[in-house]
């Protein structure tokens, strides 16, 4: 190793600089024991660090085997330390998380050597500590620790051993045994020892280089130590971090920060549980749920209607609903047109009946014309055992085919155009009590045939919910027998007999409020129809089903969407905190283990190896978080289902899907690993010596 005009300047915070090395020149042989002697602060440690690649120089050149250390890439520098250098430090720099044997083995394992057992035994024998393999570091005396450090330096069979005040922390007797050991080693290797103890230097040295203020003031270069290291190629070894040691070092942090760890896990679990429920909810298949419900209800018919939703500026701004995806749109029924009917029937739905729905109370003039008061109605009901009706509830298109299908019979005939109308048996019963008023005169009615040809006064409709004062007289063409029971008539129960309608021909209105559609029988066809109806969108228009069994499902699926978004936003908030906590946990661990990181770097570990330590332990943490989260999410999903069950009467509206599960675990692990790398990036560029010295301050 040849040093030419080597300088090193430390910049001091707040300006100023210290010239720690000031033009150092010398050349070292292939073996022997060389002492760097000098007072404290003379630059010995700095010199050792730059020679061993623990630190960089600011001027001059260090040449090793014909190569300039200044030209090494950071990766080559890691390899250089890993392959060529062994270190012995004043305060041993063993890794407390590992046993004696593991500490020694790590140096070998970093070179990719898996089979370390015999070599560790031998190294322990060499330093006369046989049988100490499974001891903990804190169980050793200072001299024993230093011997373990020497064993660790030797086991890689490096070309040079660098020892910085190796006896500084030891009593003189123990120090002597250490120097004896190093002297023995120097028969085959170059051993560079830093000391301020002139006496021992003179006793052991083959050569003494004395420093003062960063300069060589004396060099006892003798004949026998001028033999130079030959320029041979260096065989680089890529550092590899053994997993077991990585996890042991990484996980040791957890027990040092239990509260922080608990918070990290708690917040991460909360964040990921919200995310998990949200992911699961995003898997909610609205169409399938509707199809399942329709199928299991056994319903034969469904009402299908059309809805218009639009923003109304007069409606108060429901911004929270909008934020959660519920929308603040106003919804209103619109009429189905012939085009709509064609579309719906093309999806295996039988379009059977068309309704034009109106509110009962709005047909008052019609009611007045029949029975004046509720007392009249009561007495009328008592006069006959037949069922009567005093008003009609909307209009329905009825064809002969419909009648045949529904089993209705007709006296007279069905209406053929918009000036004609047919009425139900119930209404005729009423007219048979009260008579029918036409042009100011009351005609008595004694049979269904009697009413045919009379005019029925019907309020003119302006729009859905408003009626003009005028009436529109329609000619009665027939009476429809729907087979309704007395109870149905009294309770105004419209289904299934549709006895309370006025029957019209299809050209009576331009469009219809809703259709009564027969449902397909096959599940696949039901699904197809449900898919069409639920997904139909033409601008702001959409179709809706209306059957009792799925009435509450609409709000349930709105709720699913809202919950999904709510969970997503909540998870985002907790996610930020959880990520910050993971980063913080790793940062604190990295700071606590700063010295160990420096040691590992001095042993040749690279950035990837360090990531393995913290990534590995965080991956374990991530797995713990994953397991708890999956349990919590399962519980969460269960309660969402319980809620839906009570709100919509639907069982298992959302299913816990494998996709949601796997994505969740993948996200947790990815976030954990990313968060663990962040604190390490700061250390990537720093020299091992500065990391170790920062770590020593702690
Ligand atoms: P020695 O090992 O001989 O006691 P050092 O090599 O540690 O001396 O230090 C040489 C000089 O460089 C000293 O003046 C010391 O204060 C300074 N020095 C050492 N390390 C640093 C550092 N990281 N930052 C600033 N100055 C430093
Ligand atoms: Mg020093």
């Amino acid at each position: 190793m040849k040093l030419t005009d080597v300088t090193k300047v430390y910049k001091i915070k707040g300006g100023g600089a210290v010239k720690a090395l000031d033009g150092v020149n010398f050349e070292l042989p292939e073996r022997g024991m060389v002492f760097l002697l000098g007072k404290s602060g003379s630059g010995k440690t700095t010199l050792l660090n730059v020679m061993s690649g623990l630190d960089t120089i600011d001027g001059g050149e260090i040449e090793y085997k014909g190569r300039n250390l200044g030209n090494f890439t950071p990766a080559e520098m890691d390899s250089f330390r890993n392959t060529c250098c062994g270190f012995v430090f004043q305060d041993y720099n063993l890794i407390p998380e590992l046993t004696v044997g593991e500490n020694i083995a790590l140096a070998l394992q970093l070179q990719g050597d898996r089979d370390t057992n015999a070599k560790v035994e031998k190294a322990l024998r060499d330093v006369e500590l046989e049988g100490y393999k499974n001891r903990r570091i804190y169980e050793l005396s200072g001299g024993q620790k230093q011997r373990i450090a020497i064993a660790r330096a030797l086991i890689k069979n490096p070309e040079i051993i660098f020892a910085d005040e190796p006896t500084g922390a030891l009593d003189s007797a123990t120090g002597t045994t250490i120097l004896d050991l190093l002297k023995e080693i120097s028969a085959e290797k170059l051993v560079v020892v830093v000391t301020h103890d002139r006496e021992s230097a003179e006793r052991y040295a083959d050569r003494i280089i004395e420093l003062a203020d960063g300069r060589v003031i004396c060099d006892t270069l003798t004949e026998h130590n001028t033999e130079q290291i030959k320029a041979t190629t260096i065989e680089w070894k890529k550092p590899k971090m053994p997993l077991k040691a990585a996890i042991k070092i990484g996980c040791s942090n957890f027990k040092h920060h239990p509260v922080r760890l608990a918070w990290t896990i708690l917040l991460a679990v909360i964040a990921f549980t919200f995310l998990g429920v949200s992911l699961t909810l995003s898997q909610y298949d609205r169409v399938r749920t509707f199809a399942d419900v329709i199928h299991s209800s056994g319903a034969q018919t469904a009402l299908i209607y059309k809805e218009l939703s639009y923003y109304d500026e007069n409606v108060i701004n429901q911004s929270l609903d909008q934020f959660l995806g519920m929308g603040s749109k106003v919804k209103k029924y619109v009429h189905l047109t012939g085009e709509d009917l064609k579309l719906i029937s093309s999806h295996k739905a039988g379009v059977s009946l068309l309704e034009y729905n109106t509110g009962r109370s709005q047909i008052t003039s019609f009611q007045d014309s029949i029975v004046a008061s509720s007392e009249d109605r009561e007495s009328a009901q008592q006069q006959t055992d037949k069922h009567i009706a005093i008003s009609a509830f909307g209009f329905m298109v009825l064809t002969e085919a419909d009648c045949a299908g529904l089993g209705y019979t007709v006296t007279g005939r069905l209406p053929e155009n918009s000036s004609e109308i047919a009425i139900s048996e119930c209404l005729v019963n009423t007219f048979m009590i009260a008579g029918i008023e036409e042009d100011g005169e009351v005609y008595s009615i004694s049979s269904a045939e009697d009413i045919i040809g009379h005019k029925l006064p019907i309020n003119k409709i302006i729009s859905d919910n408003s009626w003009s004062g005028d009436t529109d007289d329609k000619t009665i063409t027939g009476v429809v027998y729907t087979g309704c029971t007395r109870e149905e008539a009294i309770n105004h129960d419209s289904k299934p007999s549709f006895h309370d309608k006025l029957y019209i021909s299809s050209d009576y209105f331009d469009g219809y409020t809703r259709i009564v559609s027969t449902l397909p029988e096959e599940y696949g066809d039901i699904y197809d129809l449900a898919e069409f109806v639920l997904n139909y969108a033409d601008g702001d228009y959409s179709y809706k089903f209306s059957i009792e069994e799925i009435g509450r499902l609409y709000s349930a699926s709105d709720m699913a969407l809202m919950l999904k978004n709510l969970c997503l936003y909540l998870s985002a908030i907790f996610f930020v905190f959880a990520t910050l906590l993971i980063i913080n946990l790793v940062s604190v661990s990295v700071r606590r283990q700063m010295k160990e990181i420096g040691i590992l770097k001095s042993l040749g570990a690279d950035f990837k190896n360090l990531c393995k330590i913290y990534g590995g332990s965080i991956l374990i943490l991530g797995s713990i978080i994953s397991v708890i989260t999956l349990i919590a999410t399962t519980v969460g999903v269960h309660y969402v289902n319980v809620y839906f069950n009570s709100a919509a009467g639907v069982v298992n509206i959302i299913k816990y899907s494998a996709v949601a599960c796997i994505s969740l675990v993948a996200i947790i692990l990815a976030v954990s690993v990313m968060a663990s790398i962040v604190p390490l990036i700061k250390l990537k560029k720093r020299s091992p010596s500065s990391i170790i010295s920062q770590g020593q301050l702690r």
Side-chain angles (χ1 to χ4, degrees):
M1 181 170 279
K2 185 178 177 186
L3 281 74
T4 316
D5 266 338
V6 170
T7 58
K8 173 77 185 175
V9 181
Y10 287 115
K11 290 199 178 58
I12 296 174
K13 264 187 192 152
V18 178
K19 218 166 192 186
L21 295 178
D22 187 8
V24 174
N25 291 287
F26 56 76
E27 194 162 356
L28 294 179
E30 203 165 346
R31 58 182 70 89
M33 196 146 174
V34 176
F35 274 75
L36 302 177
L37 182 69
K39 294 201 194 83
S40 176
S42 57
K44 308 180 295 291
T45 299
T46 307
L47 182 56
L48 196 77
N49 286 346
V50 298
M51 284 164 72
S52 59
L54 290 178
D55 213 340
T56 54
I57 54 175
D58 299 310
E61 203 172 271
I62 301 177
E63 196 188 304
Y64 182 69
K65 287 189 170 180
R67 291 196 60 182
N68 183 357
L69 254 59
N71 295 337
F72 282 9
T73 63
E76 282 176 327
M77 206 54 137
D78 290 338
S79 292
F80 167 67
R81 282 196 303 273
N82 194 356
T83 316
C84 307
C85 310
F87 293 93
V88 179
F89 300 92
Q90 176 174 347
D91 50 359
Y92 329 121
N93 284 356
L94 297 171
I95 295 169
E97 285 85 3
L98 305 179
T99 64
V100 166
E102 285 168 341
N103 260 283
I104 300 174
L106 184 61
L108 261 190
Q109 288 162 337
L110 275 168
Q111 290 188 333
D113 195 336
R114 298 269 144 214
D115 185 26
T116 58
N117 222 343
K119 290 173 197 158
V120 170
E121 302 277 3
K122 183 184 177 297
L124 281 170
R125 264 200 311 279
D126 288 347
V127 297
E128 288 165 20
L129 283 174
E130 254 179 302
Y132 277 70
K133 201 174 137 202
N134 295 320
R135 293 284 194 99
R136 315 291 315 196
I137 299 302
Y138 58 79
E139 294 169 348
L140 303 177
S141 72
Q144 288 171 331
K145 283 185 198 167
Q146 197 59 298
R147 278 196 262 164
I148 298 302
I150 293 171
R152 179 178 66 181
L154 279 178
I155 198 165
K156 292 196 297 184
N157 195 25
E159 286 152 3
I160 314 171
I161 303 267
F162 294 98
D164 191 352
E165 314 239 11
T167 61
L170 305 174
D171 59 73
S172 64
T174 317
T176 305
T177 63
I178 295 296
L179 288 174
D180 285 340
L181 184 60
L182 289 172
K183 181 75 188 175
E184 214 177 291
I185 294 162
S186 72
E188 288 181 12
K189 295 180 190 304
L190 177 62
V191 178
V192 181
V193 183
V194 159
T195 190
H196 58 264
D197 174 11
R198 185 176 296 275
E199 203 182 308
S200 55
E202 280 170 354
R203 206 165 116 212
Y204 286 96
D206 294 319
R207 176 173 168 190
I208 297 173
I209 298 168
E210 196 175 341
L211 294 175
D213 298 327
R215 293 174 162 273
V216 177
I217 53 165
C218 177
D219 188 349
T220 61
L221 187 62
T222 59
E223 204 49 47
H224 86 279
N225 58 34
T226 49
E227 177 195 355
Q228 293 307 312
I229 295 174
K230 291 173 215 80
T232 52
T233 49
I234 309 167
E235 193 197 318
W236 297 128
K237 284 174 182 157
K238 267 195 100 54
K240 289 196 190 82
M241 185 76 199
L243 189 64
K244 191 181 158 204
I247 286 177
K248 228 169 156 178
I249 297 170
C251 287
S252 75
N253 287 297
F254 295 154
K255 66 171 185 279
H256 286 275
H257 312 287
V259 177
R260 210 181 291 262
L261 181 68
W263 273 108
T264 307
I265 292 177
L266 181 71
L267 283 185
V269 165
I270 293 174
F272 291 121
T273 301
F274 278 129
L275 186 63
V277 173
S278 184
L279 281 174
T280 310
L281 279 166
S282 69
Q283 302 276 307
Y284 162 60
D285 185 339
R286 186 164 170 254
V287 172
R288 186 159 301 285
T289 308
F290 272 74
D292 286 351
V293 171
I294 294 171
H295 186 63
S296 61
S297 74
Q300 306 281 305
T301 57
L303 294 168
I304 298 175
Y305 57 95
K306 196 175 185 181
E307 198 175 69
L308 168 67
S309 50
Y310 58 95
Y311 287 104
D312 185 343
E313 277 161 21
N314 298 321
V315 174
I316 23 158
N317 184 14
Q318 295 152 312
S319 52
L320 182 65
D321 286 351
Q322 215 170 329
F323 180 66
L324 294 174
M326 291 267 273
S328 62
K329 286 184 169 176
V330 179
K331 287 170 180 172
K332 113 181 188 198
Y333 293 155
V334 290
H335 292 153
L336 289 154
T337 63
E339 194 56 36
D340 294 317
L341 303 183
K342 237 189 276 168
L343 276 172
I344 291 166
S345 60
S346 71
H347 284 270
K348 301 227 166 104
V351 176
S352 53
L353 298 166
L354 299 171
E355 276 193 81
Y356 193 101
N357 215 18
T358 58
R360 177 190 297 275
S361 61
Q362 283 149 338
I363 315 185
T364 45
S365 75
F366 170 52
Q367 180 183 337
D368 292 345
S369 76
I370 306 171
V371 179
S373 67
S374 58
E375 285 99 76
D376 292 343
R377 184 180 158 202
E378 290 291 315
S379 66
Q381 236 156 29
Q382 276 155 21
Q383 282 176 44
T384 174
D385 58 349
K386 290 182 174 164
H387 24 278
I388 61 161
I390 52 162
S391 59
F393 192 61
F395 301 83
M396 194 167 91
V397 176
L398 200 63
T399 64
E400 272 170 37
D402 294 335
C403 286
L406 292 161
Y408 295 175
T409 56
V410 183
T411 297
R413 63 169 174 81
L414 291 171
E416 280 164 3
N417 56 56
S418 59
S419 67
E420 296 178 347
I421 203 153
I423 60 176
S424 76
E425 157 196 26
C426 309
L427 277 180
V428 173
N429 288 340
T430 314
F431 287 119
M432 282 161 72
I433 297 162
I436 188 162
E437 192 186 312
E438 194 178 338
D439 300 330
E441 221 169 299
V442 177
Y443 299 89
S444 72
I445 305 294
S446 56
S447 70
E449 282 85 358
D450 283 355
I451 205 160
I452 292 170
H454 281 289
K455 287 221 152 61
L456 189 66
I458 294 170
N459 260 330
K460 266 191 189 155
I461 299 163
I462 296 171
S463 69
D464 281 343
N465 283 313
S466 76
W467 299 71
S468 72
D470 293 342
T471 57
D472 202 357
D473 294 349
K474 302 290 179 185
T475 307
I476 298 169
T477 60
V479 176
V480 177
Y481 292 85
T482 63
C484 91
T485 64
R486 190 175 158 80
E487 274 65 44
E488 281 168 8
I490 290 168
N491 297 332
H492 310 304
D493 192 351
S494 158
K495 270 179 273 175
S497 62
F498 302 109
H499 61 269
D500 58 355
K501 308 290 178 208
L502 295 170
Y503 309 106
I504 50 177
S505 66
S506 62
D507 59 353
Y508 196 97
F509 295 110
D510 290 340
Y512 290 87
T513 319
R514 54 191 189 175
I515 61 164
V516 183
S517 174
T518 48
L519 290 165
E521 273 169 24
E522 297 285 312
Y523 179 81
D525 295 337
I526 292 175
Y527 186 92
D528 178 52
L529 178 65
E531 191 176 31
F532 169 70
V533 169
L534 296 171
N535 292 341
Y536 173 84
D538 180 11
D540 295 326
Y541 294 98
S542 56
Y543 292 144
K544 289 264 159 106
F545 277 120
S546 161
I547 62 172
E548 213 146 299
E549 290 78 5
I550 61 174
R552 285 181 295 179
L553 253 185
Y554 288 106
S555 55
S557 57
D558 278 354
M559 198 62 80
L561 176 66
M562 191 196 76
L563 253 180
K564 184 194 101 185
N565 290 339
L566 184 67
C567 288
L568 204 59
Y569 299 134
L570 284 174
S571 80
I573 293 166
F574 282 96
F575 186 83
V576 171
F577 286 113
T579 309
L580 288 177
L581 264 174
I582 294 176
I583 293 175
N584 177 266
L585 185 71
V586 179
S587 296
V588 169
S589 304
V590 165
R591 245 178 291 142
R592 196 182 70 80
Q593 288 184 316
M594 194 69 109
K595 195 173 154 197
E596 278 88 339
I597 292 172
I599 300 166
L600 286 165
K601 282 197 90 164
S602 72
L603 287 175
D606 62 10
F607 179 69
K608 252 180 23 212
N609 299 146
L610 297 179
C611 289
K612 200 164 170 182
I613 293 178
Y614 295 97
S617 62
I618 292 299
L619 221 53
I620 289 174
L621 181 68
S623 309
I624 295 169
I625 292 170
S626 296
V627 170
I628 305 176
T629 301
L630 290 181
I631 295 169
T633 307
T634 311
V635 174
V637 166
H638 170 74
Y639 279 103
V640 170
N641 273 325
V642 167
Y643 175 76
F644 276 136
N645 198 3
S646 66
V650 181
V651 189
N652 287 342
I653 191 164
I654 53 172
K655 295 188 179 78
Y656 197 53
S657 80
V659 177
C661 218
I662 292 165
S663 353
L664 191 60
V665 172
I667 292 171
I668 295 173
L669 295 184
V671 168
S672 307
V673 171
M674 302 272 260
S676 73
I677 289 173
V678 173
L680 286 176
I681 288 174
K682 279 192 293 192
L683 291 181
K684 197 177 171 180
K685 291 256 160 62
R686 295 189 36 199
S687 69
S689 70
S690 79
I691 297 174
I692 294 179
S693 56
Q694 190 184 339
Q696 259 153 355
L697 298 175
R698 297 185 60 82

